Amino acid sequence: MPKSMIYSNEGTFFIENMPVKKLADDYGTPAYIYSRKIIDDTFTNFKKSFIKIDPLICFAVKANSNIAILNLLAKLGAGFDIVSGGELKRVISAKGDPKKLVFSGIGKSVEEIGLAISHNILAFNVESEGELHRIQSVAKSLNKKAAISIRVNPNVDAKTHPYISTGLKDNKFGVDENKAIELYLLAKSLDSVEIKGIDCHIGSQITEINPFIDSAKKLVALIDHLKTLDINIQHFDIGGGLGINYKEETPPSFLDYADAIDKVIGDRKLKIIVEPGRSLIGKAGVLLTSLEYIKEGHTKNFAIVDAAMNDLMRPSLYDAYHEIININNNQFAKKEYDIVGPVCETGDFFGKNRSLSIKNEDLLAVLDTGAYGMSMSSNYNSRPRAIEILVDNEKAHVIRERETFEHLISGESILP
Ligand code: LLP
């Protein structure tokens, strides 16, 4: 996997065959830029690495939900992991195949369940007994059968940031192993649900292989146990969570990950589903931002840029590291800066104590922001959201327009 999708050639920075500076000149900043080639190559590489298992790759829409990107992935053969009616509608707008959809999430509404059933999705990943009853009743009212998996919480430490760890028994996700058997027996007795699979997802930005192996082992043991109860599991959804390299992490390669899963599955006849988000799209996006002011102080220097925490929340929310580079090739001495946005919060930063050679109006790129960048953005401080652009060789396509003030207040009204 490339270190970054931006490369330098004789002092000029490029994304594919497009000079980065030209993108900023033509479309302004802040701007999210994606590379079609990196998206294609990463997906193809993932698929190839998993060739022995031949899984259904269900891209986690929450990582990046732009319909142009979903459409590219759908064309490459991806299915999708969705967590809301909105994500379902996005997949349909992106011409994704509803029959390749798995629906995760702990709070599915009656309306969302009905929508998913009417689109004949592949499976609901059921996260509670209450949800199972709700699916049964909605399916019955529609005179349909709903396909389900139970999401099991394997109580495995994913060794990641606590906010993105989901497979520990104190987390709100899934049902515990013992309860899972009970739920399967209940599901078997319901006439409008059909047991298809089993599911787990233990967290995100996981950089070690063992948590994946431990949880897969636990689920495989459950699958074997269920068989003795005459419950036949056809697919095993192993979830997502594979990390990427932001700084010094060395996550397992796609191939190591695939091999480890393959070993645990052994010769069981199971269709595997995998729900990667970050590992497919994280390296395929950057956030371009312009330097507005340099503010030098006694103890700290600040580089104030035109993007902010509303555009990219990860540093503020998880103290996440993203590499930041200057697209202008300045030759003067570097200094240390905190790279911060204009939002009125001390937590509004992209990087701390970064050594850079920068001056006003330089163009900076915050790297590896293809996943959980734009999809987590907001309008905080009444800031219109950034434009999104997909670069394809030497062409740039606007895949989402920059928001305007009118977008911001649309739907609001004052009292008569
Ligand atoms: N499947 C389920 C059920 C999930 O909840 C998630 C992510 C995924 C798959 C995809 O996980 P991935 O392969 O991307 O790790 N906002 C956080 C990450 C939250 C992940 C939530 N669930 C961040 O920026 O790091």
Side-chain angles (χ1 to χ4, degrees):
M1 187 165 285
K3 179 76 186 113
S4 158
M5 69 184 224
I6 298 190
Y7 65 94
S8 147
N9 188 359
E10 293 178 3
T12 305
F13 284 97
F14 289 87
I15 292 170
E16 300 199 18
N17 284 319
M18 170 69 77
V20 180
K21 176 115 188 10
K22 180 165 167 46
L23 290 166
D25 289 346
D26 290 354
Y27 301 104
T29 56
Y32 272 103
I33 318 284
Y34 308 101
S35 157
R36 175 172 189 172
K37 182 168 165 38
I38 304 275
I39 296 172
D40 285 353
D41 289 356
T42 310
F43 188 87
T44 307
N45 179 13
F46 193 98
K47 207 173 155 149
K48 267 197 196 143
S49 306
F50 273 81
I51 197 125
K52 249 173 97 185
I53 298 181
D54 188 26
L56 175 64
I57 305 169
C58 288
F59 175 69
V61 173
K62 64 173 82 68
N64 190 315
S65 46
N66 186 292
I67 60 169
I69 286 173
L70 301 183
N71 177 252
L72 285 184
L73 291 168
K75 283 200 251 177
L76 291 166
F80 298 94
D81 166 59
I82 55 165
V83 291
S84 70
E87 288 191 350
L88 194 158
K89 289 179 188 170
R90 279 184 175 274
V91 171
I92 305 288
S93 308
K95 303 188 167 54
D97 181 355
K99 295 194 188 64
K100 291 187 190 169
L101 282 185
V102 290
F103 194 167
S104 308
I106 59 171
K108 300 174 190 85
S109 70
V110 167
E111 200 190 358
E112 288 172 325
I113 291 170
L115 186 69
I117 292 176
S118 64
H119 278 99
N120 298 313
I121 65 162
L122 180 59
F124 287 93
N125 289 334
V126 176
E127 308 227 12
S128 65
E129 183 175 339
E131 183 189 332
L132 187 57
H133 285 299
R134 186 176 272 188
I135 291 173
Q136 155 71 18
S137 102
V138 177
K140 199 165 185 88
S141 72
L142 295 171
N143 214 3
K144 289 218 178 196
K145 265 203 164 191
I148 63 121
S149 300
I150 305 286
R151 176 168 174 181
V152 177
N153 181 330
N155 193 23
V156 164
D157 185 357
K159 304 207 174 75
T160 185
H161 191 285
Y163 287 7
I164 54 176
S165 186
T166 52
L168 283 170
K169 65 176 187 309
D170 287 349
N171 298 142
K172 65 180 178 178
F173 299 97
V175 298
D176 73 41
E177 299 155 71
N178 307 323
K179 178 84 185 164
I181 305 270
E182 245 177 70
L183 274 196
Y184 274 109
L185 289 170
L186 173 63
K188 204 178 162 191
S189 73
L190 300 173
D191 59 354
S192 299
V193 304
E194 189 183 357
I195 297 171
K196 276 280 166 71
I198 195 163
D199 166 58
C200 70
H201 171 76
I202 57 173
S204 195
Q205 184 53 14
I206 299 169
T207 54
E208 292 176 30
I209 197 75
N210 283 335
F212 290 116
I213 297 178
D214 294 346
S215 77
K217 278 186 176 159
K218 286 197 171 183
L219 266 85
V220 158
L222 253 175
I223 293 170
D224 293 346
H225 184 120
L226 286 167
K227 205 165 196 166
T228 66
L229 301 172
D230 212 19
I231 294 173
N232 242 325
I233 298 298
Q234 296 162 43
H235 75 236
F236 174 15
D237 180 341
I238 62 174
L242 185 65
I244 61 171
N245 162 270
Y246 288 106
K247 195 180 182 186
E248 281 151 358
E249 308 92 328
T250 50
S253 67
F254 291 160
L255 204 57
D256 292 345
Y257 179 37
D259 281 351
I261 296 297
D262 189 45
K263 281 208 182 82
V264 179
I265 305 301
D267 53 13
R268 291 175 185 81
K269 297 266 164 299
L270 286 168
K271 176 75 189 168
I272 300 298
I273 296 175
V274 59
E275 304 172 352
R278 185 190 323 264
S279 57
L280 291 185
I281 200 70
K283 290 265 167 196
V286 299
L287 174 61
L288 291 187
T289 181
S290 302
L291 215 164
E292 298 275 29
Y293 301 98
I294 288 183
K295 191 166 161 179
E296 301 198 335
H298 282 302
T299 53
K300 278 253 171 214
N301 300 320
F302 294 101
I304 303 165
V305 294
D306 64 358
M309 65 188 284
N310 72 295
D311 298 301
L312 174 67
M313 272 188 83
R314 302 194 70 258
S316 311
L317 197 55
Y318 318 113
D319 216 5
Y321 181 93
H322 286 270
E323 200 165 320
I324 300 169
I325 60 171
N326 189 357
I327 298 302
N328 291 5
N329 244 326
N330 300 333
Q331 298 303 327
F332 50 85
K334 292 181 176 172
K335 272 191 193 171
E336 276 199 358
Y337 298 91
D338 282 8
I339 316 297
V340 301
V343 161
C344 301
E345 300 242 5
T346 302
D348 178 26
F349 67 93
F350 291 134
K352 293 195 165 158
N353 305 317
R354 301 297 176 90
S355 187
L356 288 164
S357 165
I358 47 176
K359 60 176 183 348
N360 281 351
E361 292 178 25
D362 275 352
L363 178 63
L364 306 185
V366 187
L367 303 185
D368 308 325
T369 46
Y372 306 108
M374 186 62 172
S375 64
M376 290 174 74
S377 65
S378 78
N379 291 122
Y380 188 38
N381 277 207
S382 286
R383 293 170 47 85
R385 257 176 270 241
I387 192 170
E388 286 183 291
I389 292 164
L390 183 73
V391 172
D392 184 4
N393 200 1
E394 75 291 297
K395 279 214 182 88
H397 302 272
V398 175
I399 57 170
R400 180 181 166 128
E401 288 173 10
R402 184 179 301 290
E403 276 182 353
T404 62
F405 174 70
E406 285 66 39
H407 287 125
L408 282 188
I409 59 160
S410 88
E412 294 182 33
S413 54
I414 52 179
L415 297 184

